[in-house]
Amino acid sequence: MSTTRLPVPDRSPRLREALLAAAFTADGLLDLLGAPAYAALARSETVPALRATRGASPLDTLVRLFLLQHSVPHERARAALPLAECIEDGWVVRADDEVRAAVDVRPYSGPEGQDWYIVSDLGCSVGGAGGIGSREEGVVLGVGGASTTLAGITVRTPVASALDIGTGSGIQALHASQHAGRVTATDLNPRALEFTRLTLALSGAPAADLRLGSLYEPVGTEKYDLIVSNPPFVISPGARLTYRDGGMGGDDLCRTLVQQTGDRLNEGGYAHFLANWQHVEGEEWQNRLSSWVPYGCDAWIVQREVQDVTQYAELWLRDSGDHRTDPAEYAARYDAWLDEFEARKTRSVGFGWITLRKSAAAAAGNPSVVIEEWPHAVEQPLGPAVQAHFARQDYLREQDDAALLAGRFALAAEVVQEQVGMPGAEDPEHVVLRQNRGMRRATKVDAVGAGFAGVCDGTLPAGRILDAIAQLMNEDPVLLRDRTPRAIRLLVEEGFLEPVGSAD
């Protein structure tokens, strides 16, 4: 584990003032670098950014110092920073007439445009085909696609308490600090807790209650309104790297985390996780995940990607830089990974999101558990869509078919209709309803479904709309009422129709 001295946060407000004065922010970086170099930097490609920072402004200096991690002349560093304090507090190190960064400080824009900073180990920003290139056990990573995905899917309603498990550099705790009265952040790695402290302090956010330990051990039986975790979910032979390897057999760490959540959530509380899970020979992956859902919780589980075991092993061997080691060592590690999968009869590995919500209906034996595969593009942030999903599940659990037909519905915003068929054909082969927001779903509907959705504006109950459609199509209205509620349920469940009340 790295033993590098970490900065102290006591005078971080002075450093923050200097960073803001130099426009060392997400917007400032985009203005300085331009979109191509900014995007390249997110892929860990630094040459375009080096070319864009050949000037002598404080912003040029800070980008080279903290993002590109190049040494800069002492005089330039002094013009950009309260340098004596930064050296004394451990943010930078002076060697002769040069100054170099001691940590990675990365501008990050909050959901309402806040200027935040994520502090992590040098060289450990996430992104790029080459991986982070560090093989130190206790390394602490910065912002990456996984952490921003988790932040985006989290429901952001005001809560009294929030828990960030495996906080790392503190990005989830930082987000939670904006809408939670009390934030607790835990990690097995003591360095991660110190980085979280730095991230919060430098971002001007309230301090969190930082606790050392694995999973729920540091919080005992305490309960929370919100739980989030981007855990070390990688399924690997051993626990070589604390930041990513679960250290339990197969996907047991993710399973344990999810199964133990029910007892830690307050009524109505949400838990959001990223996870990997095994696709095991002879077992449906949906059944495997369904067994993880704890008593008293509803669940929405979305599989975003599946990789075969060779792709998976190669991805994480690159992540740790093993592809740049001795070929024999790389081959041995690769072989060990495949041995592990073979022993567990694992054919592929899924990646996705798991959201739990504690509900009275689930505790009464009527949980809503939706498990689906959705590899398509979505619109972040998805937190509002997640909250709306569970609200729709609540509504549908309370409505029998008669109540559904008495209900009134409105077509959701930005839903469009597409007709698919041969050019010149009198009638389309099928009709597709497509969302342009949230999950961006698409679903086929028949003529009745398309006509029903098109008429729904919240003014007429569903049954009366179906009666009118039956008359227009010369169908038996009783038979149409009998067969349509199932289609209405699907359109409501997937967010194409929104309930607006029952008939007067």
Side-chain angles (χ1 to χ4, degrees):
M1 181 177 292
S2 175
T3 57
T4 305
R5 173 200 170 206
L6 296 182
V8 294
D10 300 2
R11 290 184 285 192
S12 56
R14 285 257 298 153
L15 173 56
R16 175 176 172 80
E17 288 175 8
L19 300 181
L20 293 175
F24 187 63
T25 64
D27 289 341
L29 289 182
L30 184 58
D31 289 341
L32 174 68
L33 302 179
Y38 189 82
L41 190 60
R43 301 190 299 270
S44 296
E45 295 290 346
T46 60
V47 172
L50 280 169
R51 293 174 60 86
T53 55
R54 289 179 288 194
S57 72
L59 182 55
D60 290 317
T61 299
L62 293 173
V63 171
R64 287 194 166 228
L65 182 65
F66 286 119
L67 293 191
L68 306 182
Q69 283 140 33
H70 281 231
S71 295
V72 299
H74 176 266
E75 289 305 312
R76 286 185 56 181
R78 190 171 65 178
L81 294 167
L83 188 57
E85 291 180 6
C86 287
I87 293 173
E88 183 178 350
D89 292 346
W91 294 96
V92 298
V93 177
R94 180 176 181 178
D96 298 325
D97 289 330
E98 298 281 314
V99 174
R100 60 177 174 81
V103 291
D104 185 303
V105 177
R106 197 153 296 253
Y108 178 75
S109 182
E112 297 178 358
Q114 302 99 322
D115 291 316
W116 289 342
Y117 298 96
I118 309 300
V119 188
S120 64
D121 272 313
L122 292 172
C124 292
S125 59
V126 181
I132 65 165
S134 175
R135 304 172 74 195
E136 291 191 58
E137 177 189 350
V139 70
V140 177
L141 271 59
V143 181
S147 53
T148 55
T149 293
L150 179 59
I153 67 173
T154 299
V155 173
R156 296 293 175 193
T157 53
V159 294
S161 59
L163 172 63
D164 176 16
I165 300 174
T167 187
S169 56
I171 180 173
Q172 308 306 327
L174 180 56
H175 276 277
S177 71
Q178 305 303 293
H179 64 103
R182 173 174 58 89
V183 177
T184 302
T186 72
D187 207 288
L188 186 63
N189 180 2
R191 281 172 54 78
L193 298 180
E194 292 307 310
F195 273 114
T196 294
R197 192 189 312 277
L198 294 171
T199 289
L200 294 172
L202 193 57
S203 298
D209 177 7
L210 304 177
R211 304 188 192 182
L212 182 66
S214 176
L215 301 181
Y216 288 106
E217 291 174 0
V219 300
T221 59
E222 294 176 35
K223 293 188 176 185
Y224 297 85
D225 302 309
L226 173 67
I227 298 173
V228 293
S229 182
N230 177 15
F233 53 66
V234 176
I235 301 169
S236 60
R240 186 163 58 114
L241 299 174
T242 303
Y243 73 87
R244 68 165 207 194
D245 296 328
M248 298 184 185
D251 51 20
D252 283 356
L253 183 136
C254 291
R255 175 185 57 78
T256 301
L257 176 62
V258 173
Q259 288 182 334
Q260 292 182 353
T261 298
D263 293 334
R264 271 78 177 193
L265 271 180
N266 287 322
E267 179 71 20
Y270 286 91
H272 303 274
F273 308 113
L274 301 185
N276 277 182
W277 44 78
Q278 299 170 119
H279 286 221
V280 178
E281 183 179 339
E283 183 179 0
E284 294 292 334
W285 68 270
Q286 295 93 334
N287 293 339
R288 182 181 189 84
L289 290 178
S290 180
S291 71
W292 291 10
V293 178
Y295 170 79
C297 288
D298 300 317
W300 185 19
I301 301 174
V302 182
Q303 180 167 272
R304 296 288 288 156
E305 183 180 1
V306 180
Q307 291 185 320
D308 68 49
V309 293
T310 59
Q311 291 174 308
Y312 190 82
E314 291 163 13
L315 169 68
W316 295 109
L317 286 167
R318 287 196 303 271
D319 172 80
S320 55
D322 287 297
H323 62 308
R324 293 189 289 267
T325 63
D326 176 70
E329 181 182 348
Y330 173 80
R333 291 195 183 280
Y334 198 153
D335 205 38
W337 224 301
L338 297 185
D339 283 343
E340 176 81 4
F341 285 133
E342 184 176 349
R344 296 183 177 277
K345 298 183 179 180
T346 302
R347 296 293 173 258
S348 55
V349 178
F351 168 81
W353 319 323
I354 298 177
T355 297
L356 305 176
R357 185 191 59 163
K358 194 73 171 287
S359 78
N366 187 23
S368 166
V369 178
V370 176
I371 302 175
E372 61 177 322
E373 186 165 16
W374 191 254
H376 312 293
V378 300
E379 182 191 49
Q380 286 277 30
L382 269 173
V386 172
Q387 189 174 13
H389 165 88
F390 285 99
R392 293 193 299 268
Q393 297 302 316
D394 288 342
Y395 171 83
L396 291 171
R397 274 189 293 210
E398 297 170 355
Q399 310 297 314
D400 59 17
D401 286 355
L404 205 64
L405 292 175
R408 291 179 284 116
F409 303 92
L411 191 66
E414 298 194 40
V415 172
V416 297
Q417 176 179 301
E418 300 173 358
Q419 296 186 358
V420 182
M422 294 297 293
E426 184 175 347
D427 296 312
E429 293 178 14
H430 58 264
V431 175
V432 174
L433 298 181
R434 187 178 301 278
Q435 301 169 351
N436 287 321
R437 303 293 300 272
M439 292 291 286
R440 293 178 174 166
R441 296 186 187 277
T443 188
K444 289 183 183 180
V445 293
D446 59 14
V448 173
F452 180 84
V455 173
C456 282
D457 61 3
T459 59
L460 293 174
R464 287 182 60 184
I465 294 174
L466 290 177
D467 290 344
I469 291 174
Q471 186 175 5
L472 287 172
M473 301 181 68
N474 294 317
E475 289 204 32
D476 185 328
V478 175
L479 293 178
L480 192 61
R481 279 174 172 255
D482 285 344
R483 77 167 192 262
T484 306
R486 182 178 178 182
I488 295 175
R489 286 184 185 278
L490 180 63
L491 290 174
V492 172
E493 181 175 352
E494 295 192 343
F496 292 95
L497 294 178
E498 297 176 346
V500 295
S502 299
D504 295 332

